[in-house]
Amino acid sequence: MDWKAQLDPKRLPKHIAIIMDGNGRWAKQQGKPRMLGHERGVHAVREVTEACTEIGIEHLTLYAFSTENWNRPKEEVDALMSLLVSSLRAELNTFLKNKIRLRAVGNLASLPQSCQDELAETMKLTESGDKLELILALSYSSTWEITNATQLIAEKVKSNQLAVNEITPEVFAQHLTTAGIPDPELMIRTSGEVRISNFLLWQLAYAELYFTEVLWPDFGKQELVQAILNYQQRERRFGKTSEQLNDSSNG
Ligand code: FPP
């Protein structure tokens, strides 16, 4: 049977966000250095991105490097930055072929110049991709993002470009690094950790959360389908009652 045949095409999330966790533990289980786990993590990124284009997901956000990850040993941080640059280079043709548009969110100015340049180049070359928007969260944390948005808004109020009573949830969202991207309906975290870890706190307000024990390097198409199937079984009420939802779907 087709691997995605069980999915209901009418109830797909438009946007899936993933905390890719467990690369280090995967490597440890194999008795290998942590970086091998990250390299295998890139294979999982490729497989999941390809699956999203085949299923018809429109936006995929991957938590690739958090603000807190800067506290890791310098060798691991440097190696992760190099892996990001080499992966972007290696995947460019696949992005173009599959009409994938790359976007990055986070405190991008804090990344090494080589990463900023590679990201800018890849984003420019893929900007016409209209099948899937692949969003990498890099040097990202929600506390940074929300503080940054507040500073941007405060500057506008100070210079009379914005009145205090014009600060609505919609205006606030336009000052987040994710401006213009619809909120994720489904957030997946691998490796058995049951935390949000400073990821998209504003944007996940109504997301369905899915946690799996599978370590990120072992996460692939089948696991993605499992997560979406689980999502499709949930009743999304947005604060309403089940009866209200059933009434509006019947009438
Ligand atoms: C979490 O595993 C993973 C990361 C901090 C980095 C994720 C990076 C990649 C998959 C590679 C580069 C990404 C792209 C998009 C090319 P962990 O190290 O926290 O694992 P552990 O909790 O088992 O130690």
Side-chain angles (χ1 to χ4, degrees), residues 19-28 34-35 37-45 62-66 69 72 76 80 83-88 91 102 134 136 138 189-191 193 195 215-217:
I19 302 180
M20 311 181 285
D21 198 7
N23 295 348
R25 275 162 285 166
W26 183 92
K28 198 169 176 191
R34 291 178 58 80
M35 267 325 284
H38 295 313
E39 282 161 24
R40 294 303 289 259
V42 175
H43 290 250
V45 168
L62 301 175
Y63 204 4
F65 194 86
S66 72
N69 286 153
R72 292 196 174 194
E76 184 169 341
L80 273 169
L83 184 62
L84 174 70
V85 170
S86 60
S87 304
L88 288 175
E91 297 307 320
L102 185 80
L134 173 62
L136 299 183
L138 291 163
R189 182 171 190 154
T190 59
S191 90
E193 305 292 348
R195 282 190 295 279
L215 301 176
W216 177 250

Side-chain angles (χ1 to χ4, degrees), residues 28 30 37 58 75 83 87 100 154 203 206 230 249:
K28 198 169 176 191
Q30 321 277 321
E58 294 173 23
E75 309 81 72
L83 184 62
S87 304
I100 296 170
Q203 298 86 341
Y206 266 101
N230 184 288
S249 60

Side-chain angles (χ1 to χ4, degrees), residues 142-205:
S142 294
T143 42
W144 169 80
E145 180 182 45
I146 291 171
T147 309
N148 184 60
T150 308
Q151 289 174 355
L152 296 173
I153 291 170
E155 285 294 343
K156 287 191 182 170
V157 171
K158 201 168 127 194
S159 59
N160 294 321
Q161 292 174 66
L162 195 66
V164 168
N165 63 4
E166 287 171 346
I167 307 171
T168 59
E170 292 73 25
V171 167
F172 197 89
Q174 284 161 16
H175 293 81
L176 296 170
T177 55
T178 54
I181 305 170
D183 290 342
E185 297 98 326
L186 171 62
M187 196 287 290
I188 300 170
R189 182 171 190 154
T190 59
S191 90
E193 305 292 348
V194 189
R195 282 190 295 279
I196 299 190
S197 298
N198 224 340
F199 185 47
L200 302 177
L201 296 182
W202 173 284
Q203 298 86 341
L204 294 180

Side-chain angles (χ1 to χ4, degrees), residues 83-139:
L83 184 62
L84 174 70
V85 170
S86 60
S87 304
L88 288 175
R89 248 174 235 166
E91 297 307 320
L92 178 63
N93 283 335
T94 314
F95 290 161
L96 294 171
K97 191 174 94 209
N98 293 319
K99 298 189 168 52
I100 296 170
R101 179 170 74 258
L102 185 80
R103 177 161 168 180
V105 296
N107 186 5
L108 303 180
S110 69
L111 295 171
Q113 196 58 49
S114 57
C115 282
Q116 293 186 44
D117 293 347
E118 199 65 36
L119 283 166
E121 174 82 358
T122 313
M123 288 193 279
K124 194 168 179 318
L125 291 170
T126 61
E127 69 189 353
S128 63
D130 57 4
K131 197 145 192 229
L132 171 73
E133 183 175 44
L134 173 62
I135 304 147
L136 299 183
L138 291 163
S139 192

